[in-house]
């Protein structure tokens, strides 16, 4: 993706206006998240550096998974998401693995997967027929009942989720070795 003025170019399409703004906001937050992993080994990316269960490799995996799910939601609606009200202990255990760099996983591998998810989301933003198209939210205790979100609101949610986790990642990285994303 390249940006010139108010035009953003994805791999295949020139995008302007609101869509370009959304893509720039997404890329900025993705950059800050990825930047926290610079020059780390797989072991460092898997290391917990605070009281939290979070590690940098796990955060990258989680954000990629969340972005993938929400992008699918834009197209498929709530069927793209799990029914969070029916999740079992085993489901929650699998979800917890999303926050860890598991044996056999590498930082390079999760970063490559995140790049692919980002590429597909960017293509979706460029090709959506209507940012106002809405889908009913999936069942979850944290969503308001019978609410709908537009594609625009979902994309803004992805930006916010990525920014929140980039902040978490910055704290984890600084706790690991003193490196900061900014400042």
């Amino acid at each position: 993706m390249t940006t010139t003025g108010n035009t953003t170019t994805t791999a295949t399409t020139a995008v302007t206006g609101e869509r370009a703004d959304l893509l720039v906001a997404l890329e900025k937050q993705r950059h800050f998240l990825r930047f926290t992993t610079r020059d780390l080994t797989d072991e460092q990316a898997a290391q917990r550096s605070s009281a939290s269960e979070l590690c940098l490799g796990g955060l990258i995996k989680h954000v990629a998974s969340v972005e993938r799910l929400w992008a699918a939601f834009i197209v498929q609606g709530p069927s793209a998401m799990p029914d969070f009200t029916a999740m079992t202990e085993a489901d929650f255990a699998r979800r917890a693995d999303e926050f860890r760099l598991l044996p056999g996983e590498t930082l390079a591998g999760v970063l490559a997967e995140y790049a692919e998810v980002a590429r597909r989301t960017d293509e979706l933003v460029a090709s959506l027929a209507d940012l106002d198209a809405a889908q009913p939210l999936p069942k979850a205790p944290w969503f308001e009942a019978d609410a709908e979100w537009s594609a625009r609101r979902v994309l803004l949610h992805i930006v916010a989720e990525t920014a929140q986790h980039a902040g978490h990642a910055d704290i984890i990285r600084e706790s690991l070795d003193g490196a900061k994303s900014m400042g």
Side-chain angles (χ1 to χ4, degrees), residues 56-165:
L56 291 172
L59 275 175
I60 299 288
K61 279 176 52 179
H62 171 69
V63 172
S65 175
V66 166
E67 185 170 323
R68 183 186 312 103
L69 275 174
W70 279 113
F73 171 83
I74 289 171
V75 176
Q76 301 167 19
S79 66
M81 302 275 223
D83 178 349
F84 295 101
T85 63
M87 288 180 69
T88 66
E89 295 275 335
D91 294 328
F92 282 109
R94 280 189 298 278
R95 187 168 164 84
D97 283 345
E98 188 177 280
F99 291 93
R100 297 180 189 81
L101 199 58
L102 299 174
E105 293 179 330
T106 64
L107 178 57
V110 297
L111 285 168
E113 176 61 21
Y114 186 37
E116 178 59 21
V117 168
R119 184 193 64 75
R120 289 192 306 261
T121 301
D122 291 352
E123 287 179 358
L124 177 63
V125 172
S127 66
L128 279 171
D130 183 5
L131 291 174
D132 289 323
Q135 300 278 9
L137 287 174
K139 290 182 182 179
W142 48 85
F143 290 134
E144 57 272 21
D146 302 319
E148 292 186 344
W149 279 11
S150 68
R152 176 184 297 99
R153 184 164 177 187
V154 171
L155 293 165
L156 291 170
H157 179 73
I158 294 169
V159 171
E161 175 98 2
T162 305
Q164 178 181 14
H165 288 309

